[in-house]
Amino acid sequence: MNILVTGGTGYIGSHTCVELIKAGHDVVVFDNLSNSSEDVLDKIEMISGKKPKFYKADMLHPDELEPVFLENKIDAVIHFAGLKAVGESVAKPWYYYNNNIVGTLNLISVMEKHGVKNIVFSSTATVYGIPAFVPITEECPLGTTFSPYAESKKMLERILSDYQKANPDWHVVLLRYFNPIGAHESGLIGEKPNGIPNNLMPYIMQVAIGKLPQLRVFGDDYETPDGTGVRDYIHVVDLARAHVSVMTKFSDEASTYIYNIGTGIGYSVLDIVHAFEKANNITIPYQVVERRPGDIASYYSDPGKAERELGWKAEYDLERMCKDSYRFAKNSLS
């Protein structure tokens, strides 16, 4: 298939491009490079043997998307492009709603114009809010979200689902990610956020390579085995491979399909810290601070539906996640 990957030079997008190419698909990328670099394309080529065709384009400007569709016969779109920093979204809600929602509406319009009716949407498990039950299945009702970022994803799930109902020849796949960590085993691509990271593993990596003095652990008084929050962490390569598995749905009946993408295993913050220390023979100093508003005790998936319907299951263990993360962090210094 000819697959357009929006935001394809980003963290998850770049790993997905690698796995798509390895599976024999032709990949086209557009990205506005607001939080990534064009040299990621060279690294994708180094890993996969093939460089994706690239367009620097912003989905807020539909005219920039037109050449992507005019010059390529696109069969399906995997839609990663969007702003994703939770804290920034709280400070700049209009910026997030405008970029993520208006940009996606523009993308849908251009897809419709060019007869492209298959889309995989990069969503998030945070659409469940405080979940009604754990482990979380796809039948868990959506809850109150705690950031404009999460709310924009929830809104876009509704928009895409409603659009599919009104246009029943469309295939819409909503993938609700849990917590992607890790990096490609080559050490060439991985997560490299700007500033102080919001997420645990990038924060640990910056402490490990000496960019930050210590890790802040937000609360140790939750009702969990060690008092710190429990989450479902998944290796980014496993997550990327889920997108390859989803390609089979485009030959099934047109509908909206929803899948949790996680491991089904909950690890606490201190589980991750100690696993990272053991895997990489390094000490991570940390300080326990007050809980963050909106954080909950335990949050992990039941990924069984994806295994049953897609034949996909996470394969990499926590040790692998930690080793690959540190390898990338050290390589990024050179």
Side-chain angles (χ1 to χ4, degrees):
M1 296 178 70
N2 295 317
I3 302 171
L4 171 63
V5 181
T6 79
T9 60
Y11 175 45
I12 302 173
S14 59
H15 287 84
T16 300
C17 287
V18 167
E19 297 304 316
L20 289 167
I21 292 168
K22 286 169 62 177
H25 298 287
D26 292 316
V27 175
V28 178
V29 168
F30 85 67
D31 201 304
N32 67 3
L33 303 178
S34 63
N35 194 35
S36 59
S37 172
E38 193 170 345
D39 67 6
V40 169
L41 298 164
D42 295 324
K43 295 173 182 177
I44 292 171
E45 182 180 22
M46 292 170 66
I47 297 167
S48 69
K50 189 173 184 180
K51 188 174 184 177
K53 190 173 183 181
F54 176 68
Y55 293 82
K56 186 178 180 182
D58 192 315
M59 60 186 182
L60 288 177
H61 304 290
D63 58 307
E64 295 181 7
L65 305 185
E66 283 290 336
V68 180
F69 289 85
L70 285 170
E71 297 170 12
N72 303 276
K73 185 184 181 304
I74 303 297
D75 297 309
V77 175
I78 301 179
H79 182 33
F80 295 109
L83 299 170
K84 65 174 187 175
V86 172
E88 183 183 52
S89 78
V90 174
K92 300 178 179 180
W94 181 89
Y95 182 48
Y96 270 67
Y97 289 127
N98 182 63
N99 184 87
N100 292 1
I101 295 174
V102 174
T104 301
L105 290 173
N106 289 340
L107 174 64
I108 294 169
S109 296
V110 178
M111 288 175 63
E112 180 65 45
K113 178 179 177 180
H114 293 277
V116 182
K117 301 179 180 182
N118 301 316
I119 185 169
V120 181
F121 177 59
S122 167
S123 191
T124 169
T126 57
V127 297
Y128 293 113
I130 298 176
F133 49 82
V134 176
I136 303 167
T137 70
E138 291 81 357
E139 285 69 44
C140 184
L142 302 189
T144 300
T145 57
F146 296 99
S147 71
Y149 159 73
E151 189 65 19
S152 73
K153 293 291 190 180
K154 184 177 171 183
M155 289 179 179
L156 286 169
E157 283 200 9
R158 176 64 185 269
I159 288 167
L160 286 163
S161 298
D162 286 348
Y163 193 83
Q164 196 284 325
K165 288 178 185 175
N167 298 272
D169 55 345
W170 273 60
H171 289 83
V172 170
V173 183
L174 309 176
L175 297 186
R176 293 173 179 163
Y177 309 154
F178 280 73
N179 296 66
I181 61 175
H184 193 268
E185 63 182 355
S186 65
L188 292 172
I189 54 175
E191 187 170 16
K192 196 173 183 180
N194 296 324
I196 297 177
N198 285 298
N199 298 326
L200 177 60
M201 185 58 79
Y203 204 141
I204 290 174
M205 288 196 299
Q206 291 207 6
V207 174
I209 61 177
K211 284 192 172 183
L212 293 172
Q214 64 182 4
L215 172 72
R216 291 189 297 167
V217 176
F218 296 100
D220 64 352
D221 57 351
Y222 290 101
E223 292 184 9
T224 61
D226 63 18
T228 63
V230 169
R231 298 293 182 269
D232 187 336
Y233 295 91
I234 179 171
H235 197 293
V236 67
V237 173
D238 277 329
L239 182 66
R241 288 172 180 164
H243 296 77
V244 179
S245 298
V246 160
M247 296 299 107
T248 61
K249 299 307 293 183
F250 297 139
S251 60
D252 290 352
E253 180 182 357
S255 185
T256 296
Y257 298 92
I258 302 173
Y259 298 101
N260 288 337
I261 305 298
T263 65
I265 302 170
Y267 293 107
S268 75
V269 172
L270 293 183
D271 285 337
I272 299 295
V273 171
H274 298 323
F276 190 92
E277 291 177 325
K278 182 179 179 181
N280 297 302
N281 194 26
I282 190 173
T283 299
I284 301 296
Y286 65 87
Q287 177 187 13
V288 176
V289 298
E290 291 184 358
R291 295 185 184 189
R292 291 182 298 192
D295 276 355
I296 62 175
S298 188
Y299 206 97
Y300 58 94
S301 72
D302 177 344
K305 183 181 177 184
E307 183 175 6
R308 291 189 302 271
E309 296 189 10
L310 304 176
W312 172 87
K313 185 178 181 180
E315 298 177 5
Y316 291 163
D317 63 14
L318 183 55
E319 181 182 10
R320 176 69 181 268
M321 299 182 210
C322 292
K323 284 185 174 180
D324 287 346
S325 294
Y326 191 39
R327 185 183 302 110
F328 172 74
K330 289 186 292 184
N331 283 359
S332 68
L333 290 174
S334 57

